[in-house]
Amino acid sequence: EVQLVESGGGLVQPGGSLRLSCAASGFTFSSHWMSWLRQAPGKGLEWVAHTNQDGSQKYYVDSVKGRFTISRDNAKNSLYLQMNSLRADDTAVYYCARAMASNSNYWGQGTLVTVSS
Amino acid sequence: EIVLTQSPATLSLSPGERATLSCRASQSVSSYLAWYQQKPGQAPRLLIYDASNRATGIPARFSGSGSGTDFTLTISSLEPEDFALYYCHQHSNWPHTFGGGTKVEIK
């Protein structure tokens, strides 16, 4: 069974840092593009970052460039999102997803990040 | 950035009725458009990819059409479990973007 389990969310002060993790199981992790997306409370979906199978290609939405870093460890079947210089408007549920917009698409259940003093 | 505009924002229908949801792109996305369904407290679920292909396990009452800038998601006969939020999503150009969503609610 395919599983994506996010962790690492929580309450952080503005300017702080968090590292999100996504543990993958039930499929060949190293064969898929992986993405982070987010959804602010009561709002729509936003694609944050994604990376190719070996991590050599990375793309970010402009609002997080220079602050967030996506990475993966294929030996550990894990995807990460290092988030620095967090702002109030980064508050959202963060989802890990496999193979966006393809028939292999799968989402985790998300982890909540709250940026507040 | 490609802007996706979904209409209507809310669709009030009864079970058994046909639902037609629209998504318009600010520039051509070819057929690089997907549709997702989201229920409260849940992650989105892929319904349609590449504009018209149903994802694995998605019932045949869901269909997608369109190319370029105008796309439609049709639910031929609404089941109780279909009342939810629906998002379109383009992956033609980076940054990949989503529409604002259409809520299908029970009339």
Side-chain angles (χ1 to χ4, degrees):
Chain A
E1 178 194 1
V2 174
Q3 282 200 319
L4 294 171
V5 180
E6 300 94 338
S7 61
L11 176 64
V12 61
Q13 292 189 337
S17 297
L18 275 179
R19 189 194 196 206
L20 305 184
S21 299
C22 171
S25 60
F27 66 99
T28 305
F29 180 72
S30 60
S31 295
H32 295 278
W33 281 77
M34 295 296 297
S35 303
W36 287 100
L37 301 98
R38 66 185 179 183
Q39 187 169 35
K43 302 296 184 183
L45 296 163
E46 181 179 42
W47 197 324
V48 175
H50 71 163
T51 184
N52 67 339
Q53 289 87 340
D54 65 4
S56 61
Q57 297 179 50
K58 301 177 183 182
Y59 299 86
Y60 301 91
V61 69
D62 281 351
S63 60
V64 308
K65 277 181 186 174
R67 301 188 299 124
F68 290 11
T69 302
I70 188 172
S71 63
R72 64 191 297 162
D73 185 336
N74 287 343
K76 294 183 178 179
N77 291 334
S78 292
L79 180 72
Y80 306 102
L81 186 68
Q82 177 67 42
M83 305 187 295
N84 299 330
S85 303
L86 282 161
R87 311 185 304 218
D89 62 358
D90 294 318
T91 294
V93 174
Y94 283 74
Y95 294 101
C96 161
R98 179 186 82 174
M100 285 296 295
S102 82
N103 200 31
S104 298
N105 181 233
Y106 194 86
W107 296 59
Q109 284 306 301
T111 187
L112 176 63
V113 172
T114 304
V115 184
S116 174
S117 55
Chain B
E1 173 176 316
I2 294 177
V3 176
L4 298 179
T5 303
Q6 290 188 241
S7 60
T10 303
L11 200 50
S12 298
L13 295 168
S14 300
E17 290 193 294
R18 182 184 188 90
T20 303
L21 287 67
S22 174
C23 177
R24 177 163 290 178
S26 59
Q27 65 188 76
S28 177
V29 299
S30 185
S31 293
Y32 296 113
L33 190 107
W35 290 93
Y36 295 83
Q37 178 194 67
Q38 188 177 32
K39 296 179 180 179
Q42 295 184 17
R45 176 177 72 147
L46 178 70
L47 300 174
I48 301 289
Y49 65 99
D50 293 345
S52 60
N53 296 295
R54 263 191 312 277
T56 301
I58 301 303
R61 63 180 181 273
F62 291 92
S63 63
S65 63
S67 67
T69 61
D70 289 293
F71 300 87
T72 301
L73 174 69
T74 302
I75 310 171
S76 59
S77 178
L78 283 163
E79 296 288 339
E81 61 269 26
D82 298 337
F83 292 91
L85 260 172
Y86 293 83
Y87 293 98
C88 59
H89 156 232
Q90 68 80 21
H91 60 109
S92 172
N93 287 12
W94 187 258
H96 299 168
T97 50
F98 290 85
T102 290
K103 181 180 181 181
V104 179
E105 65 176 23
I106 300 176
K107 188 175 181 180

